[in-house]
Amino acid sequence: GKASIILPGELAVGSYKAALAVCKQSAPCNICVLNCAGQALHSFMPLTRKDFDRLRGENPPRLRDLEWEDSESFDIELQDVIAALAWMRSQVESGRMVVVNCAQGKSRSGTMAVAYLMAKQKLSVVEAPARVKAHRPLVEPNPAFVRQLTSFTKALHEQPVVRRNRLDDHSSQSLPGVSESRFQSLSF
């Protein structure tokens, strides 16, 4: 149930349990959540709703939902990815780490983490998953998501790069529900 740090102080990936650990922190907190399972998560895990709703209700909200289904017939909308990337970028630029979650921390959240690396580091759809898997080996976007990311490559590479204030770098902060990766000190 722990999130894996992909980019220190910036990006982590985990299951709903990792997101719940963030939800249980009291404000102020420099961690936010991108929930790639959306509100549908609460249909099969109703006890998650209260804690997730608390983050949704903060001003500004520390949780954003993507209503993605982990299905090969589900089409990810490019505009949803671009909007999520913009939200993530604004969070990171404000000094917050983003924990990207789905139910298992495998396909949907892995897909969004791959998209983030493709946009930030201008990586290919082959290189970005390898970087994510180096920190969270169980990440495996479903084949349809990989095809969609391939078709989004040009648009992702055109996204602005996150600008972080190095004086406010929170990469060393301790995060509940976030495991320290043996690769944490690497910067890509």
Side-chain angles (χ1 to χ4, degrees):
K2 292 190 176 212
S4 303
I5 296 172
I6 308 302
L7 295 174
E10 193 166 336
L11 178 67
V13 176
S15 70
Y16 77 95
K17 290 179 182 179
L20 279 174
V22 173
C23 292
K24 293 183 188 300
Q25 287 191 323
S26 30
C29 176
N30 288 325
I31 310 168
C32 58
V33 175
L34 180 64
N35 174 24
C36 298
Q39 300 227 11
L41 176 72
H42 310 312
S43 297
F44 60 96
M45 294 179 191
L47 296 178
T48 60
R49 181 176 296 282
K50 179 183 173 188
D51 290 322
F52 278 55
D53 280 350
R54 187 177 63 75
L55 289 189
R56 288 182 187 107
E58 288 184 11
N59 188 16
R62 280 197 301 137
L63 187 143
R64 180 180 178 103
D65 292 296
L66 290 174
E67 301 296 334
W68 288 1
E69 296 173 24
D70 188 15
S71 163
E72 290 198 40
S73 64
F74 183 79
D75 288 327
I76 295 173
E77 298 288 329
L78 175 59
Q79 290 309 316
D80 287 347
V81 174
I82 299 299
L85 289 171
W87 183 81
M88 294 170 76
R89 195 168 42 253
S90 72
Q91 298 303 312
V92 171
E93 288 172 350
S94 296
R96 293 181 200 92
M97 178 177 224
V98 178
V99 175
V100 182
N101 82 282
C102 60
Q104 297 178 359
K106 183 178 177 182
S107 182
R108 291 170 285 187
S109 58
T111 298
M112 193 64 226
V114 167
Y116 188 86
L117 289 185
M118 289 175 70
K120 178 183 170 96
Q121 299 177 344
K122 313 307 179 202
L123 298 175
S124 74
V125 78
V126 172
E127 296 166 311
R131 296 263 175 102
V132 173
K133 285 183 175 197
H135 304 282
R136 189 167 180 88
L138 67 94
V139 161
E140 190 172 331
N142 80 46
F145 292 174
V146 173
R147 286 191 298 274
Q148 291 168 44
L149 286 174
T150 301
S151 71
F152 298 163
T153 299
K154 184 177 186 285
L156 293 175
H157 287 176
E158 292 171 348
Q159 294 305 299
V161 176
V162 172
R163 303 280 180 223
R164 286 189 351 190
N165 181 344
R166 290 293 171 193
L167 297 175
D168 295 330
D169 188 352
H170 300 283
S171 62
S172 62
Q173 77 186 63
S174 176
L175 306 174
V178 179
S179 62
E180 295 299 317
S181 168
R182 62 189 170 104
F183 302 100
Q184 183 175 0
S185 61
L186 295 177
S187 61
F188 299 108

